[in-house]
């Protein structure tokens, strides 16, 4: 007697298939936005929209994965591995973006920080090479100065009983050591101010900030002022103020006996 076996083919969940496809598609969309911004192919706004589009697809993939899990659980369909994979990939894109968005809530809208609001150091070279889509380098004036004073009262010039030529060399050495991209460097001479312009990458997005440092001769020695401006967006996550404070701290440790204004 021949026994026949009955094979029942398990059906694959369509939700599982599409959730994985959507999650995989979200990755290149997001990476395109990041890479094109890093290579300056896209401006910040266009790159941000591209990244958000990728994250939006990742959110859709996560929703499909959750729905697929419910269907698989209730109907016994195949595709659990795809659902889990889709959810993992989607969360890899969603979690960092959601974390940064949460951290940015309540942060001040301040993209330009300087030690001298009355006579802020001027950008010369960087003002001619930046994209038109970048933030303006024209200092906004008294309104921004008052806001900065409320948020960062400790951001002030630093003075030394040392000739400006020596302080300039020390500042340039610190900037080079921190691997900032120096765009222009003019040493002080006579009554001419020393000036260093550089581009710096800041956390959390690796966005570009533009920096100018001024070394000015004074009757007692020299005074250092600094200005740091976010190239894109209306907030800097506090990076500009931290950068100024850190550089001045390093300079004071190196030179000793600074005088805060």
């Amino acid at each position: 007697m021949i026994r026949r076996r009955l094979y029942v083919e398990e059906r694959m969940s369509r939700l599982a298939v599409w959730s994985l496809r959507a999650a995989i598609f979200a990755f290149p969309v997001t990476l395109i936005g990041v890479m094109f911004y890093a290579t300056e192919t896209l401006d910040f706004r266009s790159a941000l929209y591209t990244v958000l589009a990728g994250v939006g697809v990742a959110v859709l993939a996560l929703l499909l994965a959750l729905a697929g899990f419910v269907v698989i659980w209730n109907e016994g369909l195949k595709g659990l591995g795809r659902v889990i994979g889709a959810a993992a990939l989607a969360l890899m894109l969603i979690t960092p973006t959601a974390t940064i968005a949460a951290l940015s809530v309540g942060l001040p809208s301040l993209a330009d920080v300087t030690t001298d609001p009355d006579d802020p150091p001027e950008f010369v070279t960087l003002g001619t090479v930046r994209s038109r889509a970048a933030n303006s380098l024209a200092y906004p004036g008294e309104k921004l100065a008052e806001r900065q004073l409320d948020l960062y009262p400790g951001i002030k010039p630093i003075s030394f009983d040392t000739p400006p030529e020596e302080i300039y060399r020390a500042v340039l050495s610190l900037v080079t050591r921190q691997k900032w991209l120096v765009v222009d460097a003019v040493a002080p001479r006579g009554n001419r101010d020393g000036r260093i312009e550089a581009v710096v990458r800041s956390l959390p997005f690796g966005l570009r900030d533009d920096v100018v440092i001024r070394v000015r001769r004074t009757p007692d020695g020299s005074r250092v002022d600094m200005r740091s401006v976010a190239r894109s967006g209306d907030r800097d996550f506090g990076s500009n103020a931290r950068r100024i404070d850190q550089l001045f701290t390093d300079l004071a440790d190196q030179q000793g006996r600074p005088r805060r204004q």
Side-chain angles (χ1 to χ4, degrees):
M1 181 177 179
I2 300 176
R3 295 183 178 180
R4 295 181 179 179
R5 295 181 180 178
L6 180 62
Y7 291 93
V8 179
E9 183 180 357
E10 293 183 67
R11 291 182 298 140
M12 173 66 70
S13 168
R14 283 194 166 187
L15 287 172
V17 172
W18 281 104
S19 65
L20 185 59
R21 288 177 179 175
I24 293 173
F25 178 72
F27 257 83
V29 174
T30 306
L31 290 177
I32 285 172
V34 174
M35 292 175 60
F36 278 16
Y37 178 75
T39 58
E40 297 189 342
T41 305
L42 291 177
D43 58 45
F44 174 73
R45 190 175 299 276
S46 300
L48 178 62
Y49 289 157
T50 304
V51 170
L52 291 178
V55 174
V57 175
V59 171
L60 175 62
L62 182 60
L63 294 175
L64 290 173
L66 293 174
F69 178 80
V70 173
V71 171
I72 290 170
W73 181 269
N74 291 331
E75 301 183 14
L77 303 180
K78 294 171 62 178
L80 182 60
R82 299 190 183 196
V83 163
I84 294 174
L89 290 174
L91 288 173
M92 286 177 63
L93 294 177
I94 296 170
T95 302
T97 307
T99 301
I100 292 170
L103 291 174
S104 67
V105 174
L107 285 178
S109 299
L110 191 67
D112 191 335
V113 179
T114 180
T115 58
D116 189 353
D118 297 325
D119 182 21
E122 293 185 6
F123 291 92
V124 178
T125 303
L126 278 171
T128 63
V129 300
R130 297 160 84 247
S131 166
R132 293 182 180 178
N135 290 337
S136 173
L137 289 177
Y139 190 71
E142 185 177 349
K143 185 176 181 180
L144 179 65
E146 292 176 355
R147 185 167 177 77
Q148 178 187 309
L149 183 61
D150 291 337
L151 296 170
Y152 308 118
I155 299 298
K156 297 179 180 180
I158 189 170
S159 298
F160 297 91
D161 300 324
T162 309
E165 295 81 6
E166 182 177 335
I167 295 299
Y168 170 84
R169 289 192 295 269
V171 172
L172 186 58
S173 175
L174 287 173
V175 168
T176 303
R177 187 184 310 166
Q178 296 188 32
K179 298 183 179 180
W180 297 357
L181 176 61
V182 177
V183 177
D184 194 11
V186 179
R189 180 179 298 175
N191 292 324
R192 184 183 71 184
D193 295 336
R195 175 175 44 83
I196 300 171
E197 296 184 54
V199 179
V200 190
R201 293 277 189 171
S202 64
L203 295 174
F205 291 111
L207 301 179
R208 294 174 184 82
D209 293 336
D210 295 314
V211 172
V212 57
I213 304 167
R214 181 178 65 203
V215 181
R216 174 169 290 176
R217 187 182 302 277
T218 65
D220 300 322
S222 54
R223 162 175 159 164
V224 183
D225 282 286
M226 182 172 172
R227 184 179 172 198
S228 188
V229 182
R231 186 173 292 190
S232 306
D234 63 350
R235 63 192 65 206
D236 62 359
F237 296 89
S239 62
N240 287 313
R242 286 194 300 270
R243 181 176 300 116
I244 294 173
D245 185 66
Q246 185 61 57
L247 183 73
F248 279 16
T249 298
D250 293 343
L251 184 61
D253 290 343
Q254 184 185 89
Q255 296 296 314
R257 295 183 301 176
R259 300 194 311 274
R260 290 280 184 170
Q261 300 297 314

